């Protein structure tokens, strides 16, 4: 098995697999066994290595920067097999059969031209490919060589057949062009031509003995003497290679690239050709590149003249991507490059404008950008227009006029669409503006207005229904407000313009918010109505406290004048019990400054007016806070506004009553003062708004109750050991000074009832 390293089709190193000893390293470092050329900048210093494992040859990547590739995939290690082509930087590692192996002679190709002239390529079965594709068996990096140019098939009898693979410039044998996909048998000595490159076929079955070689040497020796006689004259009469290269450059500058190629072929056989080999090969490569570039540019000019914009754009795009050296055949070539770039910019501006102006969803901003691009392209042409740009310029001028009409007439439509961003758009004006745009003479604007009219008209109707729902909510018809169907237009119909889509989304969100607020308002008003009614400015829960006679009885604890109430009662015992609740009021006061445990209040016979008043005040204050939020102020109108006037009046009466109770608590003492303070603590729902003797009402009540009960506890403790007369005094004192719900007071209350029943 023969292993060789190639760079640009040139063999750099070669070895038989059985001759590998140890590790054979490949890379840019001079210490490598196989160093790669300096121009290969992709390879690493130590890129890969060859080694034997048993009888098999292996290739291993040495953690290179750019990797080692087989069939396009990165590999770390591979057992080599016949036909392998492995990429190492810009080099290719090829594995072929050794023509001396197995006793079979292998046919080969002798390269007659180019950098690799004189090299031989063995034709290993089953096939041998030729082309510019790096994966080919023989690679020619030349613009005139197709990627898959030709193929030689090696049959089982070792005969070799060649066929062209549909190449651009064809394949010939001994000057005769091959027909497409038709095979031709190769005979020893046949000359194969691919573009300007030539090879000679050597049949492996034909023995090339030393005798034949000696015969040729003899013939050559016989003519040597005569040749020497003419050598001096010939050398001085023959033109040097530099002259042919110079002539080739002159032809290239005149854009006569075929003649330049012929001059290069003469330079190959001229004097000093070896010293010019690099220049010849470089110029040969450039000639192909220049010929292709000029051909594309002339083709693009023809297409521009004919108005074939798509084909012209494709060719101009290829020219735009070309490297700088593709435009260097003479001094004017760089100017032609600028002309090509200008033509591409003009064509891009036209094609983009044409594609967007017919779109139904094109926006004003995009039209403005296209118009600016068209204007810039026209300004770049100048006064004198090249012939190939005449038609393109006329199209751009026509497009500019259309764009200006669109922008002028479309500005009204755009301003109307911009008004959709407002919180409360004037849909009547917006619909009128869209309707006006539908009458435009410019088809693009008319089409755009036509597709926008229906969703905007539907949004206008939805907006009217939204306002209707808002009026229902302000009229306290909350259920009807929540039941309104906006009938918004479909999402897809609104998606043609972002502003229309956003207006629909915003309206949907506003309505969802409206329904949510209407639900909350419905709940709050229902709760408030339960406690204060729907019309009365002075409901019972407030009116009872404002009656001096009723309040006076409550402050005097009139319930103590009646029998001890049962826990199972349903009717209040006295005004104290009705307003404050015997058990309820004491439970709240004894828990202060904290809130009373609701479990302790759950089994009470009824809810006092004080608790109902507190709950009503709390609900009213929650509603007031809710309506004072910036997003909710629109609700404070109509019947809602009328109700809020009534409810705020109730709060005002509460505030006035609390002020009187504060004064009574601060100016008085004993049980009456404590009851007044307890009423204040229960009716004030917002901490910090009212104080009692510079204290929080709940704190003041807790301290005052503690002081009051300490005196009662002393009396209660004395009661058991006291004389009957003293016991009566103690009982009367506790009933006079204690709260009805206090356990000590209830004890004395029950004793008083017992005495009354005995009498």
């Amino acid at each position: 098995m023969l292993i060789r390293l190639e760079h640009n089709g040139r063999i750099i190193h070669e070895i038989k697999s059985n001759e590998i000893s140890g590790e054979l390293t490949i890379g840019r470092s001079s210490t490598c066994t196989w160093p790669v050329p300096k121009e290969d900048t992709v390879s690493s210093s130590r890129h890969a290595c060859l080694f034997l494992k048993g009888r098999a040859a292996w290739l291993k990547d040495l953690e290179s920067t750019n990797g080692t590739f087989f069939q396009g995939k990165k590999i770390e290690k591979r057992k080599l097999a016949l036909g392998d082509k492995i990429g190492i930087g810009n080099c290719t590692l090829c594995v072929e059969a050794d023509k001396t192996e197995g006793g079979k002679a292998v046919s080969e190709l002798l390269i007659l031209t180019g950098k690799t002239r004189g090299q031989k390529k063995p034709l290993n079965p089953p096939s041998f490919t030729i082309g510019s594709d790096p994966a080919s068996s023989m690679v020619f990096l030349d613009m005139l060589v197709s990627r898959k140019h030709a193929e030689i098939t090696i049959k089982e009898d070792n005969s070799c057949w060649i066929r062209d693979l549909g190449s651009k410039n064809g394949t010939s044998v001994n000057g005769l062009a091959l027909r497409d996909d038709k095979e031709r048998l190769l005979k020893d000595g046949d000359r194969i031509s691919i573009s300007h490159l030539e090879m000679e076929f050597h049949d492996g079955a034909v023995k090339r003995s030393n005798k034949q070689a000696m015969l040729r040497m003899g013939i050559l020796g016989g003519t040597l003497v005569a040749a020497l006689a003419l050598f001096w004259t010939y050398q001085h009469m023959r033109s040097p290679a530099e002259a042919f290269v110079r002539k080739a450059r002159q032809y290239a500058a005149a854009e006569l690239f075929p003649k330049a190629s012929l001059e290069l072929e003469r330079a190959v056989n001229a004097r000093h050709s070896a010293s010019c080999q690099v220049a010849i090969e470089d110029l040969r490569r450039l000639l192909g590149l220049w010929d292709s570039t000029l051909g594309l540019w002339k083709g693009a000019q023809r297409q521009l003249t004919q108005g074939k914009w798509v084909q012209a754009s494709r060719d101009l795009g290829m020219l735009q991507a070309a490297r700088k050296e593709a435009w260097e055949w003479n001094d004017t070539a760089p100017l032609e490059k600028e002309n090509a770039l200008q033509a591409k910019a003009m064509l891009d501006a036209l094609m983009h404008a044409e594609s967007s102006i017919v779109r139904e969803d094109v926006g004003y901003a995009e039209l403005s950008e296209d118009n600016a691009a068209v204007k810039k392209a026209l300004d770049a042409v100048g006064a004198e227009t090249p012939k190939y740009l005449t038609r393109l310029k006329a199209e751009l001028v026509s497009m500019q006029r259309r764009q200006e009409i669109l922008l002028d007439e479309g500005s009204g439509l755009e301003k109307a669409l911009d008004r959709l961003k407002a919180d409360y758009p004037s849909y009547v004006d917006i619909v009128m503006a869209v309707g006006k745009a539908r009458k435009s003479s410019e088809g693009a604007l008319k089409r755009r207005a036509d597709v926008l009219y229906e969703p905007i008209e539907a949004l206008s109707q939805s907006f009217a229904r939204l306002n209707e729902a808002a009026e229902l909510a302000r009229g306290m018809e909350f259920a009807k407000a929540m039941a309104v169907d906006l009938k918004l237009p479909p999402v897809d119909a609104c998606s043609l313009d972002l502003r229309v889509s956003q207006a629909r989304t915003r309206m949907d969100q506003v309505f969802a918010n409206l329904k949510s607020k209407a639900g909350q308002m419905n709940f709050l008003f229902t709760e408030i109505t339960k406690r204060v009614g729907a019309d009365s400015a002075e409901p019972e829960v407030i009116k009872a406290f404002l009656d001096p006679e009723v309040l006076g009885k409550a402050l005097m604890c009139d319930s103590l004048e009646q029998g001890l109430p049962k826990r199972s009662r349903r009717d209040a015992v006295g005004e104290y019990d009705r307003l404050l609740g015997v058990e309820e009021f004491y439970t709240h006061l004894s828990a202060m400054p904290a809130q009373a445990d609701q479990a302790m209040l759950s089994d009470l016979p009824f809810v006092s007016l004080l608790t109902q008043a507190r709950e009503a005040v709390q609900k009213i204050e929650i509603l007031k806070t809710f309506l004072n939020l910036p997003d909710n102020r629109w609700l404070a109108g109509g019947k809602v506004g009328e109700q809020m006037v009534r409810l705020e009046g109730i709060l005002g009466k509460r505030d006035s009553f609390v002020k009187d109770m504060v004064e009574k608590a601060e100016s008085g003492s004993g049980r009456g003062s404590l009851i007044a303070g307890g009423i204040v603590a229960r009716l004030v729902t917002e901490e910090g708004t009212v104080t009692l003797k510079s204290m929080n009402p709940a704190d003041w009540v807790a301290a005052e109750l503690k002081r009051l009960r300490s005196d009662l506890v002393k009396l209660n403790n004395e009661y058991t050991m006291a004389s009957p007369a003293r016991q009566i005094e103690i009982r009367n004192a506790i009933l006079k000074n204690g709260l009805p719900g206090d356990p000590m007071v209830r004890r004395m209350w029950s004793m008083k009832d017992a005495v009354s029943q005995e009498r």
Side-chain angles (χ1 to χ4, degrees), residues 181 205 273 278 431 578 605 610 645 647 753:
D181 209 30
S273 61
V278 175
V431 171
R578 185 168 74 93
L610 180 61
V645 171
L647 296 176
D753 281 353

Side-chain angles (χ1 to χ4, degrees), residues 9 73 80 96 101 106 202 260 286 298 343 360 426 428 446 466 473 490 540 553 573 615 618 628 654 668-669 695 731:
K73 296 181 179 179
L80 299 181
E96 299 177 351
E101 291 180 353
V106 178
H202 290 172
L286 289 173
K298 288 182 177 179
E360 295 175 348
S426 175
V428 174
K446 185 179 183 303
L466 177 64
E540 182 62 25
K553 290 179 180 181
V573 178
E615 290 175 353
Q618 285 179 320
N628 282 335
R654 184 277 312 260
S669 61
M695 294 177 65
R731 182 183 66 200

Side-chain angles (χ1 to χ4, degrees), residues 358-374:
V358 297
R359 286 198 348 253
E360 295 175 348
D361 62 338
V362 64
Y364 192 83
E366 188 174 355
L367 277 175
S368 299
E369 290 176 4
D370 287 348
N371 181 246
V374 169

Side-chain angles (χ1 to χ4, degrees), residues 64-115:
S64 60
T65 302
N66 296 308
T68 302
F69 293 86
F70 175 69
Q71 295 182 348
K73 296 181 179 179
K74 187 180 286 190
I75 60 171
E76 295 181 358
K77 186 189 293 185
R78 175 172 172 78
K79 181 181 178 181
L80 299 181
L82 290 176
D84 280 0
K85 288 183 178 294
I86 301 174
I88 300 176
N90 287 332
C91 297
T92 305
L93 187 79
C94 305
V95 183
E96 299 177 351
D98 186 357
K99 65 181 181 179
T100 62
E101 291 180 353
K104 285 187 178 181
V106 178
S107 300
E108 57 190 14
L109 290 180
L110 173 65
I111 302 174
L112 302 177
T113 59
K115 288 183 178 180

Side-chain angles (χ1 to χ4, degrees), residues 232-485:
W232 186 87
T233 303
Y234 172 74
Q235 285 292 326
H236 286 79
M237 289 178 64
R238 189 170 59 140
S239 297
E242 293 90 337
F244 290 110
V245 172
R246 197 160 46 249
K247 189 68 173 176
R249 291 189 182 277
Q250 292 173 358
Y251 280 131
E255 299 179 356
L256 301 172
F257 301 123
K259 288 187 176 182
S261 296
L262 289 175
E263 292 299 319
L264 283 184
E265 292 306 315
R266 292 172 184 165
V268 171
N269 299 312
R271 280 189 299 137
H272 310 311
S273 61
S275 62
C276 293
Q277 188 64 34
V278 175
I280 292 170
E281 292 302 324
D282 188 52
L283 184 55
R284 180 180 284 121
R285 178 183 63 82
L286 289 173
L287 285 175
L289 181 60
W290 293 339
D291 193 18
S292 175
T293 301
L294 186 59
L296 277 174
W297 176 221
K298 288 182 177 179
Q301 290 177 353
R302 286 194 300 272
Q303 291 153 5
L304 289 169
T305 303
Q306 297 167 7
K308 297 179 179 178
W309 308 134
V310 176
Q311 297 92 319
S313 178
R314 179 197 61 205
D315 290 350
L316 289 171
M318 295 174 64
L319 292 171
Q320 189 179 35
R323 293 175 295 179
K324 180 182 177 183
E325 63 180 1
W327 297 88
E328 293 181 341
W329 59 82
N330 59 26
D331 292 340
T332 61
L335 297 178
E336 290 301 308
K337 178 182 180 181
E338 294 301 320
N339 292 337
L341 294 177
Q342 180 191 33
K344 183 69 168 66
M346 293 175 67
L347 191 53
D348 285 347
L350 176 64
M351 294 180 72
H352 191 277
E354 284 182 337
S355 66
S356 61
I357 202 170
V358 297
R359 286 198 348 253
E360 295 175 348
D361 62 338
V362 64
Y364 192 83
E366 188 174 355
L367 277 175
S368 299
E369 290 176 4
D370 287 348
N371 181 246
V374 169
K375 186 177 184 303
K376 182 179 179 182
L378 287 172
D379 291 344
V381 177
E384 296 183 7
T385 306
K387 185 177 180 181
Y388 59 86
L389 289 180
T390 303
R391 187 167 183 171
L392 179 57
K393 181 180 179 181
E395 289 289 330
L396 283 169
V397 170
S398 175
M399 177 58 68
Q400 187 180 34
R401 284 197 294 268
R402 288 186 64 190
Q403 289 174 332
E404 288 172 352
I405 293 172
L406 266 175
L407 291 171
D408 180 49
E409 295 184 356
S411 63
L413 177 61
E414 289 302 312
K415 290 176 182 177
L417 293 174
D418 282 339
R419 289 201 290 272
L420 288 171
K421 299 176 182 178
D423 291 335
Y424 301 99
S426 175
Y427 276 97
V428 174
D429 295 338
I430 296 171
V431 171
M432 288 180 59
V434 178
K436 182 179 179 181
R438 296 179 74 188
K439 300 176 183 178
S440 172
S441 59
E442 181 55 52
L445 179 60
K446 185 179 183 303
R447 285 193 302 273
R448 176 165 166 74
D450 284 342
V451 298
L452 289 174
Y453 185 81
E454 186 174 342
I456 291 176
E457 171 66 19
L459 282 176
S460 176
Q461 296 172 8
S462 298
F463 188 69
R465 285 187 281 271
L466 177 64
N467 286 330
E468 177 188 343
E471 286 301 319
L472 288 170
R474 284 190 284 265
M476 295 185 67
E477 296 186 69
F478 304 117
K480 288 184 178 180
M482 291 187 286
V484 169
D485 182 4

